[in-house]
Amino acid sequence: MFRSIRNDIKVIFERDPAARSVLEIFLCYPGFHAVRFHHLAHWLWTHDLRVLARFLSHISRTVTGIEIHPGATIGDGFFIDHGMGVVIGETSEIGDNVTLYHGVTLGGTSWNKGKRHPTLEDNVIVGAGAAILGPIRIGHDSKIGSGSVVNKEVPPNSTVVGIPGRVVYREGNVYNDPTGVGGTPDPEGKAIRCLTEQIHALEKRVEELAKRVEEEEHPAAARTGT
């Protein structure tokens, strides 16, 4: 347990430049508190103390604003930054060194029992407000852009943005120009630029046709420039 706590503190120092002291982390980091609550709740869940596990999870949600079902499986080095509004469903599986930002949802799309929540492999980063839905797998070392809605498998080493989420970068191959804020790919921006370029081309063509018609209707004026 103490090794796990030390590792969680180390992870926070590595990934949050705002962290200044161990005491600050113990007192002021809801993500740290939620993970500690979950370790105990998950132990109770796996030892068939289901109601007590759910009650402890409920207390954790009330205190931290982060809801983690006690049935969820979470690896080492898990970090929730800020954390308010994060929801992690019962059959979610989270690998090692995963980072979630506030408002992330790992949700289900079915009322059937069984596997219905996502699996996040190692070193995945999920941006603020993103939703990953259904029993899908997010490959290792992938990044999910803020506000994205992902309902399909994501291969390893990929960057996903948009609604619905789509891969814009994978293992060195850029599928759309990475021209968003902070280097995040922006396929919507690229589409708008393409439309703008087409409009400019059409406007130029219309001007050429109008000039040609003018020359055909008034050839003398066109020759003299009057």
Side-chain angles (χ1 to χ4, degrees):
M1 181 181 69
F2 291 107
R3 183 196 65 82
S4 178
I5 292 174
R6 285 197 301 269
N7 186 54
D8 288 346
I9 293 172
K10 178 183 176 183
V11 164
I12 292 173
F13 276 123
E14 289 175 349
R15 301 185 203 169
D16 185 3
R20 293 176 176 82
S21 69
V22 173
L23 181 61
E24 181 182 22
I25 291 172
F26 267 102
L27 297 178
C28 307
Y29 274 70
F32 175 78
H33 301 151
V35 171
R36 302 324 312 162
F37 270 114
H38 176 72
H39 280 303
L40 178 55
H42 185 69
W43 186 89
L44 293 171
W45 183 267
T46 56
H47 287 76
D48 293 324
L49 299 171
R50 300 292 176 88
V51 175
L52 185 57
R54 288 298 305 271
F55 181 66
L56 184 60
S57 175
H58 178 71
I59 293 174
S60 175
R61 182 182 66 172
T62 302
V63 172
T64 67
I66 299 168
E67 181 174 345
I68 307 176
H69 194 285
T73 302
I74 297 176
D76 293 332
F78 181 54
F79 177 46
I80 303 175
D81 196 5
H82 297 289
M84 179 61 70
V86 167
V87 177
I88 300 174
E90 176 186 1
T91 60
S92 298
E93 298 175 61
I94 298 175
D96 295 338
N97 301 315
V98 170
T99 301
L100 307 184
Y101 289 88
H102 58 277
V104 168
T105 298
L106 306 183
T109 57
S110 170
W111 291 345
N112 298 325
K113 294 185 180 296
K115 177 65 172 172
R116 59 189 185 279
H117 297 98
T119 295
L120 277 57
E121 296 183 354
D122 297 347
N123 305 313
V124 168
I125 299 175
V126 185
I132 305 175
L133 306 175
I136 61 176
R137 182 174 293 272
I138 308 300
H140 63 82
D141 297 285
S142 291
K143 298 178 178 64
I144 308 300
S146 298
S148 300
V149 177
V150 184
N151 56 11
K152 294 182 180 179
E153 301 275 331
V154 174
N157 296 292
S158 299
T159 298
V160 176
V161 299
I163 302 175
R166 51 200 174 278
V167 175
V168 293
Y169 179 91
R170 182 184 178 192
E171 297 184 11
N173 296 316
V174 178
Y175 297 152
N176 289 278
D177 292 338
T179 55
V181 176
T184 302
D186 184 13
E188 287 84 3
K190 181 179 179 181
I192 291 171
R193 285 194 301 275
C194 289
L195 290 172
T196 302
E197 290 172 359
Q198 291 180 17
I199 291 172
H200 289 164
L202 289 172
E203 289 176 344
K204 184 177 180 180
R205 182 59 176 163
V206 168
E207 290 177 359
E208 293 175 351
L209 291 174
K211 184 177 180 180
R212 184 180 302 175
V213 169
E214 181 70 18
E215 291 176 350
E216 291 176 353
E217 290 181 350
H218 308 283
R223 286 193 298 269
T224 60
T226 60

